[in-house]
Amino acid sequence: MNQLKFLIPTHFMFIYGSLMLCMLNANAHAQSGVAISNIVTQSILVQSAPSEKQVELAKRKLDTLKADANANYLASPNVITQFGFQSVWQTTIPHRGVTLFAGMSLDGNEIFAWDKLGVVTRLKPSTGTVLWQGSTQSKLDKIYSVTVLPAVTTPAAIALTDAATVAFEDESGALLAQESLRRVPATAGVKAGDCVVFGDGEGRVIWLKLAESNIAKVATHRDAPGEFSSSKDLGQRRTLLCREVFAAMSLGKVVTAPVVAPGYGVLTVSSGGEVSLFNATNSKPIWRYKSNAPFVSKPNFLDGVVYVAGKDQYLHALDIKTGKSKWDWFNQSPLVNSPFATAEMVVLQVPDEGLVAFSTSPGDKVSGIILWKSKATGNVITRTKDGLITWDDASRTMTLVDTKAGGITASANLPNARWVSSTSSVDGTILLLCDDGRMQQLRPIELMKSTSAVTPTERKTTVNQDAEVVEPATEPAKEPATEPVTEPVTEPAKESEMVFSAARNSFM
């Protein structure tokens, strides 16, 4: 009995000890699992965090990419953003060997460029794609401009050279005609209605117009002897001539391309110190303004006022209707640059003064009112919400100038840009062309945002500048529900992307 009394407490103690041991083992395993989980998590985080060496390598890669962009782009993206512009496209125009390009021409939104062998290239404005290339058939002729003129059937692109006019099919670039000129051009041509107008070295202002004849369907495809395709499916054959229809005289050589003032006429300036306004439809003179010194820069027109600077040391503001002076600003040296008129100011690059802004509404101040002066070089090519964009040919420098006080906001040297032009005086698209055929298009960022803005109910896909496809907005497919992930997991394949992203953020 005493032995039984002893065994019962012993069994209970054994059972109690076993239970306690199980509980301790379970707790130890749980703590061990948490520790292992923490070790795995820390290991993953350590592996996903880039090392200093990886960050340095990523920085070098980013520097290399930037260097390549600076070398290949005429204006690198990180440079032009400070001007409020964005690169839309850059292309290299095909050409023979080391042949250098000689110029470009903007006819509205149409883009043309040509090389020193007389090969004309037309590019698509929205993408920079080459639409066609055609030859003027002469390596010696100098090309002044290319202009698209309407015709009876389809328009034609007219290349104006110093010896002839060369007509290309508007859509294909096929050579239509080549005709010698009676007058040797001294300026580029501009489109005035259905004519192209230019000035010559003897003071004449010439109007050229397309004359079309011998329009016929041509059956050229033959499947079998005696069988021809329907002429409705075939191209047209036509004779196209660009003939002189009007002419006017000015005093002295016409020194710059004429300026078309819509609703008023065609403006010209001459080395004889004369500013003239001619009727755009019949070339008859409307008024002439005579100065005592030559004009060598292009006039500008805005809100019924003509602004022209001359070697007589004056900036003239003339009434477009009468040709009479509204105000004149005098300078101590001759003025040889073209004024730029926009909204409340007209801006002129003045020797020894810099960029000078004048009020377009000086009231009774017949000598004009100066708003500010700036140290920016070059002439203004367009205006954006950020300021005035100037381009200096001599130093190949682009500058952004504040319109309130004339301060320089940004400046960059673009050594590869040989020709720079803008499609408009306000929010203009800027075209850059290099001697080697590289061409780049820049557009204001704000303008691109406005064109790419979408509504909540539809998404717009731009095909080109003239067409737009509207696609209905679709709701993205819902993914099946999944269990929430509590532990961060990094895929090994994306590790390099994370390192490069971290380096880029630290670099920026």
Side-chain angles (χ1 to χ4, degrees):
M1 188 70 180
N2 292 332
Q3 186 177 2
L4 181 62
K5 290 182 180 179
F6 174 77
L7 289 174
I8 291 174
T10 303
H11 284 294
F12 276 111
M13 289 294 293
F14 176 77
I15 293 172
Y16 177 75
S18 298
L19 289 175
M20 290 297 295
L21 181 62
C22 290
M23 292 178 64
L24 290 173
N25 289 336
N27 187 31
H29 281 295
Q31 292 180 357
S32 176
V34 173
I36 292 173
S37 176
N38 291 335
I39 292 173
V40 172
T41 301
Q42 292 176 4
S43 176
I44 293 174
L45 292 176
V46 169
Q47 291 178 3
S48 63
S51 64
E52 293 183 0
K53 184 177 180 180
Q54 290 174 320
V55 171
E56 182 64 27
L57 290 175
K59 285 183 178 180
R60 291 179 182 178
K61 183 178 180 180
L62 189 60
D63 291 340
T64 302
L65 293 175
K66 288 185 176 181
D68 291 341
N70 290 330
N72 297 324
Y73 279 97
L74 297 180
S76 63
N78 63 318
V79 169
I80 59 175
T81 51
Q82 62 183 328
F83 293 89
F85 278 79
Q86 183 173 339
S87 178
V88 182
W89 51 258
Q90 176 166 310
T91 187
T92 299
I93 304 173
H95 58 287
R96 299 179 185 175
V98 294
T99 304
L100 298 180
F101 275 73
M104 68 175 176
S105 180
L106 303 181
D107 181 21
N109 288 326
E110 306 300 335
I111 305 173
F112 298 93
W114 53 87
D115 61 22
K116 292 187 176 181
L117 293 180
V119 177
V120 178
T121 304
R122 183 175 185 179
L123 298 98
K124 189 175 182 179
S126 58
T127 62
T129 305
V130 174
L131 297 177
W132 53 258
Q133 290 185 304
S135 175
T136 60
Q137 308 297 316
S138 176
K139 301 178 183 180
L140 302 178
D141 294 349
K142 176 183 177 180
I143 301 176
Y144 283 97
S145 61
V146 182
T147 310
V148 178
L149 290 182
V152 177
T153 53
T154 59
I158 307 300
L160 180 67
T161 76
D162 57 1
T165 56
V166 184
F168 299 97
E169 190 73 45
D170 177 59
E171 295 182 355
S172 66
L175 181 64
L176 295 176
Q178 185 174 14
E179 187 175 9
S180 299
L181 288 167
R182 295 174 56 206
R183 318 292 184 187
V184 178
T187 74
V190 297
K191 183 163 63 177
D194 56 356
C195 294
V196 57
V197 185
F198 68 90
D200 71 1
E202 298 179 356
R204 299 181 186 88
V205 185
I206 311 297
W207 274 252
L208 300 178
K209 187 176 182 179
L210 287 178
E212 195 172 19
S213 62
N214 298 333
I215 303 172
K217 297 289 184 180
V218 183
T220 57
H221 179 67
R222 183 170 62 179
D223 296 326
E227 295 181 3
F228 291 87
S229 299
S230 171
S231 61
K232 294 182 180 180
D233 301 328
L234 301 175
Q236 291 181 328
R237 179 184 62 198
R238 55 176 175 162
T239 300
L240 194 65
L241 301 177
C242 195
R243 295 178 175 175
E244 180 180 324
V245 290
F246 302 117
M249 287 297 298
S250 64
L251 185 62
K253 177 183 177 180
V254 180
V255 294
T256 69
V259 174
V260 178
Y264 295 98
V266 176
L267 286 162
T268 63
V269 294
S270 70
S271 60
E274 189 175 76
V275 184
S276 304
L277 178 68
F278 299 98
N279 189 303
T281 59
N282 57 25
S283 76
K284 292 183 178 180
I286 298 175
W287 53 256
R288 301 178 190 270
Y289 179 86
K290 184 67 176 67
S291 174
N292 58 8
F295 291 105
V296 295
S297 61
K298 192 175 181 179
N300 204 314
F301 163 76
L302 179 70
D303 296 336
V305 180
V306 178
Y307 300 96
V308 58
K311 286 192 172 182
D312 60 353
Q313 303 173 228
Y314 278 97
L315 170 63
H316 304 276
L318 310 176
D319 190 316
I320 187 67
K321 295 181 179 178
T322 63
K324 295 182 178 180
S325 175
K326 297 175 71 70
W327 56 267
D328 303 275
W329 177 77
F330 180 76
N331 185 54
Q332 296 297 325
S333 57
L335 302 176
V336 295
N337 294 294
S338 297
F340 179 90
T342 170
E344 75 284 358
M345 68 180 68
V346 55
V347 187
L348 177 67
Q349 184 65 235
V350 179
D352 302 324
E353 295 284 344
L355 199 66
V356 183
F358 304 86
S359 172
T360 55
S361 303
D364 57 354
K365 299 290 185 179
V366 294
S367 59
I369 297 178
I370 296 178
L371 300 178
W372 48 257
K373 294 182 179 181
S374 174
K375 295 182 180 180
T377 60
N379 297 312
V380 181
I381 57 176
T382 191
R383 176 179 181 172
T384 68
K385 75 174 190 65
D386 297 312
L388 302 171
I389 305 294
T390 71
W391 174 253
D392 183 19
D393 278 325
S395 63
R396 300 191 183 185
T397 301
M398 183 176 289
T399 308
L400 176 62
V401 182
D402 177 50
T403 56
K404 295 182 178 179
I408 297 177
T409 307
S411 181
N413 180 249
L414 307 178
N416 294 322
R418 178 65 179 84
W419 292 272
V420 178
S421 185
S422 174
T423 59
S424 175
S425 60
V426 179
D427 289 332
T429 296
I430 297 178
L431 273 299
L432 312 175
L433 177 64
C434 181
D435 300 54
D436 61 9
R438 284 178 294 165
M439 178 178 281
Q440 186 177 8
Q441 185 188 84
L442 312 177
R443 295 187 68 186
I445 295 176
E446 290 297 322
L447 188 61
M448 296 187 69
K449 287 181 179 179
S450 63
T451 56
S452 61
V454 297
T455 62
T457 58
E458 64 182 23
R459 178 168 56 90
K460 298 182 179 180
T461 303
T462 301
V463 178
N464 54 46
Q465 290 188 346
D466 302 321
E468 193 175 70
V469 177
V470 180
E471 300 178 1
T474 57
E475 186 176 349
K478 295 181 179 180
E479 298 181 357
T482 58
E483 293 294 331
V485 179
T486 57
E487 296 181 2
V489 178
T490 304
E491 298 180 11
K494 296 183 179 179
E495 181 178 351
S496 60
E497 297 179 7
M498 293 180 59
V499 173
F500 183 74
S501 177
R504 181 181 58 189
N505 294 335
S506 63
F507 184 78
M508 299 299 287

